[in-house]
Amino acid sequence: MAAAGVASEGLSPDAAKAEAENATHLSVALVENVIVILMLVEDHIRSQCKQSSSSRAADGSPSPLSLFYPVHYNLTSSFTSSESTDVRGDRTSASSNSGGVSLDVLSLMADANGQISAAVIEKLAAAAAADPYESVSSAFVSYGSCAKDLAIGWKYRSRLWYGVGLSSNTASFGGGGSGWEFWKSLLDKDDNGNWLELPLVKKSVAMLQALLLDESGKGGGLGIGGGSGTGMGAMTALYQLLDSDQPFLCMLRMVLLSMREDDDGIDSKMSEERKLQSALLWSVLSPILNMPISDAKKQRVLVACCVIYSEVYHAVSIDRKILRKKYVEAIIPPFIAVLRRWRPLLAGIHELAAADGLNPLTVEDHELAAYAESVEASLDLISPVWAAAFASPPAALALSMIAAGTSDSENHAPSTNPQLRRETSLLERKQARLQTFSSFQKPSTIPNKTPPIPKNKAAAKDAALAAARDVQRFSRIGSGRGLSAVAMATSTQRRTAGDMERVQRWNITEAMGVAWMECLQPVDTKSIYEKDFNALSYKFIAVLVASFALARNMQRSEMDRHVRACIISRHRISIGIHAWRKLIRQLIEMRSLFGPFADYLYNPYRVFWKLDFMESSSRMRRCMRRNYRGSDHLGSAANYEDYSRENNDPSTRVLSAEAITVEGINEEEEHIETENLDLTVDDIGDEIENQPKFSKGAEKTLQNSSDSNGIQPESDEGIVQSSSAFAPGYVPSELDERIVIELPSTMVQPLRVVQGTFQVTSRRINFIVDNNETSTMMDGLKFGYETRDQEKNHSWLISTLHQIYSRRYLLRRSALEIFMVDRSNFFFDFGSRDGRRNAYQAIVHARPLYLNNIYLATQRPGLLLKRTQLMERWARWEISNFEYLMQLNTLAGRSYNDITQYPVFPWILSDYSSKSLDLSNPSSYRDLSKPIGALNPDRLKKFQERYSSFDDPVIPKFHYGSHYSSAGTVLYYLIRVEPFTTLAIKLQGGKFDHADRMFSDISATWNGVLEDMSDVKELVPELFYLPEVLTNENSIDFGTTQLGGKLDTVKLPAWAENPVDFVHKHRMALESEYVSSHLHEWIDLIFGYKQRGKEAIAANNVFFYITYEGTVDIDKISDPVQQHATQDQIAYFGQTPSQLLTIPHLKKKPLSEVLHLQTIFRNPKAIKSYAIPSPEQCNLPAAAIHASSDTVVVVDLNAPAAHVAQHKWQPNTPDGQGTPFLFHHGKATSGSAGGIIRMLKGPAGTGEEWQYPQALAFPVSGIRSQAIVSITCDKEIITGGHADNSIRLISSDGAKTLETAYAHCAPVTCLGLSPNSDYLVTGSRDTTVLLWRIHRALASHSSVTSESSTGNGTGMRPSTGSSSSSHLLMEKNRRRRIEGPIQVLRGHHSEILSCCVNSGLRMVVSCSHSSDVLLHSIREGRLVRRLDGVLAHAVSLSSEGIVVVWNESKHIISTFTLNGVLIAKSELPFSSSICCMEISLDGWSALIGINSQENGRAYNSSWNSQSSKSGNEDFYSDSEETHDTNRINAPSPSICFLDLHTLEVFHVLKLREGQDITALALNKDNTNLLVSTWDKQLIVFTDPTLSLKVVDQMLKLGWEGDGLKHLIK
């Protein structure tokens, strides 16, 4: 078109038209000449390769393939000398018969009798008659480094089709590549070692690129664009040129040759040249990618497939190694694209099927597409089926015809009547023309010259005959304009022996002369089809453009598929890297690496820590975890001017919404499997496999209801079609799983906001991360760094959803926060209320199994508070003050995930100067009825004056310009703990704040809150449970104050000995009776009716207007700059919580009126002892006791083959005879003993001998019986110590084995139950600790068990048919009670002595003979902390996170925090020993049973058996320098009441001499203590006055005989 435009410039319309057409036809002639030159170059290279191969044949260089392929043969005598030598190589068989088969192959085909069947002989004969390689070689790229491989591979593959030579081990089938050494030996090289012909090949391909590719190099090509510039007028001729077989295959072979020889086997980054070659291959293949599918083109497509497959086959070695990886990676996508388009036609060629009848093309489209997903996936093409298919007889026939120059598309004579009617459709005209063209078919007359008129009929007849001969010649050998010359000149490889005479009349010089002369002849301006071409050109060009666009789209589709395959590969590599990194870290933490560097890895110079986001049941995040990518942030101090490791932008704002959330922090991902413990490994694998797939969009979304909070989950009327643009996401793999909704959203995390897609399916909640932006940013970085910082997709089973809350994000109600059953929580912002509503309704409609119905009915915070009865429970002292405040924060929208809405807690104390803190003195506390800004009267006057004098038409009046909770406030308190340290640096522009303004002194901070006009901040919850916020665990340089002091650990009040002591006393103050009686006043200010309105003004509690919800609607701000500034203001000033109450809050009941808190720990001096009568009937001495509200279960010391007794009792209920409880001896009976009347009647058979049922077991010696017995809340016994290494669940009413579980490799030596009996841990001599989940007993199961226990006690099934079927159905539906093991906890190196678990803390503690005390998490099974140097023989864990450790060898009891900080320790006399421990319900106190050492050895001897071997006893001697050791001087035997914080004894229950303790048990409300002694006594300790109070209260409520159960309600 460009040439046409230049030619017609400045001429008249007619002349311009003529010149333009001449120019376009001249361009087409030049394009044809390019093809001519390309074919000549190919002919030259083929000839040179044959000569080189012939000269090397004398050397006898064998091909490595001849040593592996099973078919050995001599080529037939019809081969030419050069080719036969080239092909034969070293493959001459021991049998020298021409065309024969080797003896070893024949022997393989013989049967057991040594006979070869007739069918096999028939196959051998057919294989021997296969087309020789000579007839098909010209169709392949049979020159270059793979020339010899092609010959050998063709013969081998062609015989495979007949079933000859196929090895029995098809799995080891390899490719046909001989290897680099052999390939390089076949090439003629220059002085630099490069192939001599390679520059010529590259120049030819460069010329082809200029022809076919446009300026962008994207394959727009074929003359459209800046590539060739042929113009629109010549499109038809150009398309026809490329649509002919010989030019098409010549271009294909040359492009493949260039790409093959350019791949040197070095796995490097794809260069620009390789990218252009790949695009060029797509353009060359475009005619067969977009042509209509018809039988006429089947031969060409089959030949192209054979050629490309041979290149793939010979790029792979015999041992299935890809030798030319970049080459295969480039040609596989277009090859698969051709197969996918022509699969229906090719699959119909039944002869492609090999001897076994398998046709590789009779597969689904997606199976073909899988081959192009990665280079490794393409190896599946190297198989006998594929190899034989493209060397089958149909393939050989098509290759031979193409090599000979005759094919279906070129053997049709031109139509005698090329005239086409104008009304004929364009497609019909095109097809009619393409069926008859031969290259560029043209009239037989010379252009611009009128043929002479025949003088007579004879002359006319001669002229007609000459024209017919020309037509026949054109149809056989190509056009007379250039291609005919090339076809004749290169016919050596394309013609049979009958055409040799004609070849002698032609040579290269004549061919070039003819080609140039024909190209330079004047082009006539007449029309094609004898009509004006311009009349059809634009319509025809439109069809061509559409076809090229289709080819381009197919190319892009395949490229996208390849990209997705690369994403899968990178994702799998990332998973592998993470798995290895995790394994190495676990080995370091478990100290299981052995080698010269082990000690250095165990004890590095610096260890960094960060906050673990694992939450306890009260939402405390107590644990610190090791931070392997931590930093000391050297140079980040404000006064550190000489060095800074970060390039800081001086224009960075101190605080902004993006800095708080979107800023990418270089922090390691938690990589926690959020599918909880119910998600299996197979589910995870399915998720990974489905990640790269593209979703077709959500089918339906939930309709917006008129009331944003009114949810109606029972109806499906709210489902409508969503118009949102959905991102690609997870595609369900299960047949019954469907996508419910997909919404664009962001996951809000403490350090960043992650963009992605929120997806709800019928089974899962998924969040698919959009990593496009991240990938672009890290394009130039190393892969390892990229994978480490790549965000991770998340998926949760919808059945594990526990709670769901609507949330605000930057004061916009557009977010949801979901809480899972494992206490993980996640915050999602949907950008609008509609998006949040749709997501909420989709989740609710899924009916999650564990989701409370409260959250299905409403999402209004105030209604949720009312429905959950939290306020009433708190008023009855059922939950602590800390738990209640955390729950209020949660309901009001405060979240750990959003630092701008962090939970807020009040200042409690006002005394930070005294040397001792008196928690009983009201003056020690802050006035909770006033906001923090109103505590100082003088400052309050200034605030009130500002409020009254402030007058602004836009901004309402306010008392305080700052807020009590903001992002800056949170970072102020938590700056010493990662990840808040890193975030603080980011918010400050790369530096810490000045040291004088940072958190350094609690007393100074309190004074600032009282005095500073801009400081009204409250506290964060961590100051009530996490001492690490006050210490500099990571030794960070925070800078120097103006007085020269180094900022390090926070300065504590005088009454606090250390950070642990401060946090403990701070928490005790929060839970004190004074705070409990006034906390509701502070709640009214922050969450209640004094938060807004007149009450807020009267209470001096009005803050800046932008902190309140509803005062600013960000969505209505049209100016982006103003909207951004408003968001920054919200992030800076903070946000007021949602209002929960509009009426005054309830006041807490006085402590004296709360009976369930009158435990033995609150008033121990009032406790008295009561011995159970007839102790011989109690199954004593006991190894374990469990006391419920109506039953006492006793297991004797014979465990695991223990006797089990089940007694009935009623605690805190006077029996009328001076005993404050009812007790009835019993044995295994069916049903419940019932109420008081049955108890008062006494045992049914007083004269009957009391023999309790005994469990069947084979015990192992040397194991303490107390350590291997636990009793669940369902009154069932779990035992260990069995010879078969099992654990067993035993019924208490018959000692029958209900269930047996196996997992250990050695006998179980200890076990422990969580307080609510939902988790079990077992330790073994195999040094592992296993975690199990315990499921509660079903009512039906209990009834069946009791029924089967009656009568003969054998537990046989009923004999009746109906009962048997119901029993079998029940057994089928029954879930196993002991599930697991769900975690294997490692790190010990010897026998486990003691272990315990607390589900509220999500923590397991264990100890062994020679290892340290280890703490593992339930959620991940990860080793959280190792108490270095701490030797323990018994451990226990309180609900407040205090680890109690007993060292038998040193007689020291110690307490530690979950982070390994020593709290206190006490020493016992060596004449005494601790036999058992019980922790109080509140977690602050403990009971220890002390026996004399002499008597205690009978059942504590295993503790001392290996204590002398341990080398971990240095901890106590070293720690004595910093911690005073208390001494417990209690008599033996006795029961001591200990304060776990100080380990001081505040009460002692002394027993008589000889009454050594064997077991202790507290009932559920801690009002009664049961003690089993060595002299077979069962003693109950309780406060007798409590029973009187209980009876009085029960009479008021109505007597029902269930103890304190109704009081708690």
Side-chain angles (χ1 to χ4, degrees), residues 1038-1276:
F1038 292 106
T1040 307
T1041 63
Q1042 294 180 353
L1043 299 178
K1046 198 75 172 178
L1047 183 60
D1048 193 41
T1049 302
V1050 176
K1051 184 180 178 181
L1052 303 174
W1055 45 259
E1057 298 177 3
N1058 50 56
V1060 176
D1061 186 48
F1062 171 82
V1063 169
H1064 171 71
K1065 291 178 179 177
H1066 204 205
R1067 174 71 187 282
M1068 296 303 294
L1070 177 63
E1071 305 296 341
S1072 65
E1073 191 169 357
Y1074 175 85
V1075 174
S1076 298
S1077 61
H1078 294 86
L1079 187 59
H1080 65 282
E1081 299 172 348
W1082 184 84
I1083 294 174
D1084 285 333
L1085 294 170
I1086 306 301
F1087 305 103
Y1089 77 106
K1090 293 184 180 180
Q1091 185 193 95
R1092 294 188 176 195
K1094 297 180 179 179
E1095 294 292 341
I1097 298 173
N1100 302 308
N1101 193 36
V1102 181
F1103 293 85
F1104 192 63
Y1105 80 101
I1106 207 170
T1107 65
Y1108 293 97
E1109 179 185 5
T1111 56
V1112 177
D1113 191 346
I1114 297 179
D1115 295 327
K1116 293 183 178 179
I1117 301 177
S1118 58
D1119 185 5
V1121 177
Q1122 184 180 357
Q1123 186 182 56
H1124 192 74
T1126 305
Q1127 291 178 340
D1128 288 348
Q1129 285 183 338
I1130 295 171
Y1132 181 87
F1133 283 104
Q1135 302 177 50
T1136 301
S1138 298
Q1139 191 172 12
L1140 300 179
L1141 292 168
T1142 57
I1143 58 175
H1145 193 282
L1146 285 179
K1147 188 176 181 180
K1148 208 168 189 179
K1149 294 174 61 176
L1151 182 60
S1152 58
E1153 298 180 9
V1154 183
L1155 295 184
H1156 71 272
L1157 291 183
Q1158 308 304 316
T1159 65
I1160 60 174
F1161 299 97
R1162 186 169 296 276
N1163 190 16
K1165 294 182 179 180
I1167 295 175
K1168 294 183 179 180
S1169 63
Y1170 300 88
I1172 299 297
S1174 304
E1176 68 278 0
Q1177 301 177 5
C1178 293
N1179 195 32
L1180 301 172
I1185 304 174
H1186 174 76
S1188 66
S1189 60
D1190 60 353
T1191 306
V1192 175
V1193 179
V1194 180
V1195 181
D1196 70 1
L1197 287 173
N1198 293 321
H1203 294 84
V1204 180
Q1206 186 174 357
H1207 310 291
K1208 294 297 180 180
W1209 85 318
Q1210 193 81 17
N1212 306 314
T1213 304
D1215 64 349
Q1217 300 177 3
T1219 304
F1221 56 86
L1222 297 172
F1223 191 92
H1224 173 70
H1225 296 282
K1227 58 181 179 181
T1229 57
S1230 61
S1232 175
I1236 297 177
I1237 298 178
R1238 179 173 295 183
M1239 290 185 176
L1240 295 177
K1241 290 182 179 180
T1246 56
E1248 184 181 355
E1249 184 179 359
W1250 293 88
Q1251 291 182 352
Y1252 295 100
Q1254 184 178 12
L1256 297 177
F1258 296 95
V1260 177
S1261 61
I1263 300 177
R1264 287 194 315 125
S1265 58
Q1266 293 98 325
I1268 55 174
V1269 178
S1270 289
I1271 305 175
T1272 69
C1273 295
D1274 292 328
K1275 295 169 283 188
E1276 294 169 338

Side-chain angles (χ1 to χ4, degrees), residues 260-423:
R260 180 217 291 167
E261 302 302 334
D262 192 47
D263 189 351
D264 53 4
I266 300 176
D267 192 6
S268 60
K269 208 171 186 179
M270 181 174 287
S271 61
E272 190 65 29
E273 183 180 357
R274 287 181 180 176
K275 293 180 181 178
L276 289 175
Q277 289 175 349
S278 178
L280 180 61
L281 180 60
W282 281 98
S283 294
V284 170
L285 292 173
S286 61
I288 64 175
L289 283 175
N290 56 45
M291 68 172 58
I293 298 178
S294 64
D295 289 332
K297 305 301 179 183
K298 178 169 61 177
Q299 177 175 297
R300 181 190 306 173
V301 174
L302 181 58
V303 169
C305 293
C306 292
V307 171
I308 300 178
Y309 179 81
S310 70
E311 294 298 307
V312 177
Y313 177 76
H314 291 291
V316 179
S317 67
I318 193 69
D319 54 353
R320 298 183 66 83
K321 292 183 179 178
I322 302 178
L323 302 176
R324 303 183 190 268
K325 187 173 182 180
K326 291 296 181 183
Y327 182 42
V328 174
E329 189 178 27
I331 66 176
I332 280 292
F335 177 48
I336 297 301
V338 173
L339 290 179
R340 292 176 64 187
R341 176 166 177 79
W342 291 86
R343 178 182 58 83
L345 198 62
L346 296 178
I349 306 176
H350 303 292
E351 292 81 3
L352 291 180
D356 53 3
L358 296 179
N359 189 338
L361 293 171
T362 57
V363 295
E364 297 296 333
D365 189 76
H366 66 87
E367 297 182 35
L368 280 177
Y371 293 122
E373 290 184 352
S374 64
V375 183
E376 290 73 16
S378 65
L379 280 176
D380 293 339
L381 293 172
I382 309 301
S383 66
V385 177
W386 283 97
F390 291 116
S392 59
L397 178 63
L399 289 167
S400 300
M401 293 181 66
I402 290 291
T406 59
S407 61
D408 291 344
S409 60
E410 292 188 11
N411 58 6
H412 298 287
S415 175
T416 57
N417 183 19
Q419 282 283 38
L420 295 177
R421 298 187 308 273
R422 183 171 297 275
E423 48 276 355

Side-chain angles (χ1 to χ4, degrees), residues 373 564-565 567-576 578-579 673 675 679-693 729-731 733 764 766 792-795:
E373 290 184 352
R564 290 197 297 272
I567 292 175
I568 295 175
S569 177
R570 286 198 301 268
H571 180 71
R572 290 173 176 170
I573 292 175
S574 174
I575 292 176
H578 169 67
E673 296 300 338
E675 294 81 3
L679 185 58
T680 63
V681 176
D682 294 336
D683 292 331
I684 299 174
D686 292 340
E687 173 196 348
I688 294 174
E689 289 295 325
N690 285 295
Q691 277 177 359
K693 297 182 181 179
Y730 166 83
V731 177
S733 59
R764 299 176 184 269
N766 303 314
K792 181 185 175 185
N793 294 344
H794 299 266
S795 181

